[in-house]
C-alpha cells in the first residue's frame, strides 16, 4: 500500500532549497568565517537526504541523476590540483594565491585559489556522504 505523503513531500521541496542555499552561503562565508567546503558539503548532503526521506531513493536518483563517484574524483583532482599548483611556481605545497579584480556586477572582489580548494573539498564531502547513504539505502 502506497502512503499519501503530500504534506511532507511539498514541505521537503521548499526546505530543500532553503537548506541548499544556506549551504552555499556557508561555503562562501567559510573563507573569512567558520564554514567552508567541508561544512557546506555536509549541509548539502543533508538537504539531499531530506529529499530521500520525503520521497524515495529511486525518485531522488531520477530527479538528481548524479554519479557521486565522479563527483568525488573531480573534487579530489580540484583540491589536489590547487594545492599542488604552487609547486610549479617555486612556492611550497599548499601555498594559495589571491588578487583583487574588478568584476562587472560585484565590483572590486578578491579571488583566491583557496576557494577552488574548498570547492574540491565540498565535492568530495557531498560525493562520499551521498555514496555511503545511497549504498546503505539500496540494501533491502
Amino acid at each position: 500500500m502506497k502512503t499519501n505523503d503530500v504534506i511532507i513531500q511539498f514541505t521537503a521541496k521548499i526546505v530543500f532549497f532553503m537548506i541548499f542555499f544556506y549551504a552555499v552561503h556557508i561555503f562562501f562565508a567559510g573563507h573569512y568565517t567558520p564554514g567552508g567546503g567541508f561544512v557546506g558539503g555536509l549541509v548539502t548532503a543533508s538537504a539531499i537526504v531530506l529529499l530521500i526521506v520525503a520521497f524515495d531513493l529511486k525518485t531522488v536518483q531520477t530527479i538528481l541523476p548524479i554519479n557521486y563517484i565522479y563527483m568525488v574524483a573531480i573534487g579530489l583532482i580540484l583540491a589536489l590540483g590547487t594545492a599542488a599548483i604552487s609547486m610549479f611556481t617555486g612556492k611550497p605545497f599548499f601555498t594559495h594565491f589571491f588578487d583583487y579584480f574588478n568584476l562587472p556586477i560585484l565590483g572590486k572582489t578578491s579571488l583566491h585559489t583557496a576557494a577552488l580548494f574548498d570547492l574540491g573539498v565540498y565535492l568530495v564531502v557531498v560525493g562520499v556522504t551521498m555514496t555511503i547513504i545511497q549504498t546503505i539505502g539500496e540494501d533491502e
Side-chain angles (χ1 to χ4, degrees):
M1 180 167 90
K2 187 163 173 97
T3 60
N4 190 359
D5 297 329
V6 175
I7 294 173
I8 192 168
Q9 290 176 352
F10 176 77
T11 306
K13 289 177 197 175
I14 295 170
V15 174
F16 167 78
F17 286 105
M18 293 168 64
I19 295 172
F20 177 74
F21 288 126
Y22 182 65
V24 171
H25 167 72
I26 288 174
F27 173 80
F28 284 114
H31 188 70
Y32 296 108
T33 59
F38 185 80
V39 178
L42 288 177
V43 173
T44 299
S46 70
I48 298 171
V49 168
L50 174 66
L51 289 179
I52 293 172
V53 169
F55 296 94
D56 61 353
L57 187 58
K58 297 296 180 201
T59 304
V60 174
Q61 286 175 339
T62 304
I63 295 169
L64 299 171
I66 300 170
N67 187 335
Y68 293 106
I69 301 295
Y70 289 155
M71 182 182 282
V72 171
I74 292 169
L76 282 173
I77 290 169
L78 193 59
L80 291 175
T82 54
I85 200 154
S86 58
M87 293 188 324
F88 297 112
T89 62
K91 305 276 188 204
F93 185 72
F94 253 115
T95 301
H96 290 289
F97 303 100
F98 73 95
D99 203 355
Y100 292 94
F101 297 93
N102 284 318
L103 299 178
I105 295 174
L106 301 174
K108 187 175 181 183
T109 306
S110 64
L111 298 177
H112 304 255
T113 56
L116 291 175
F117 176 78
D118 268 352
L119 179 62
V121 171
Y122 175 86
L123 293 174
V124 169
V125 169
V126 172
V128 168
T129 306
M130 292 311 302
T131 300
I132 292 169
I133 289 170
Q134 282 184 342
T135 304
I136 293 170
E138 288 174 349
D139 290 343
E140 301 262 341

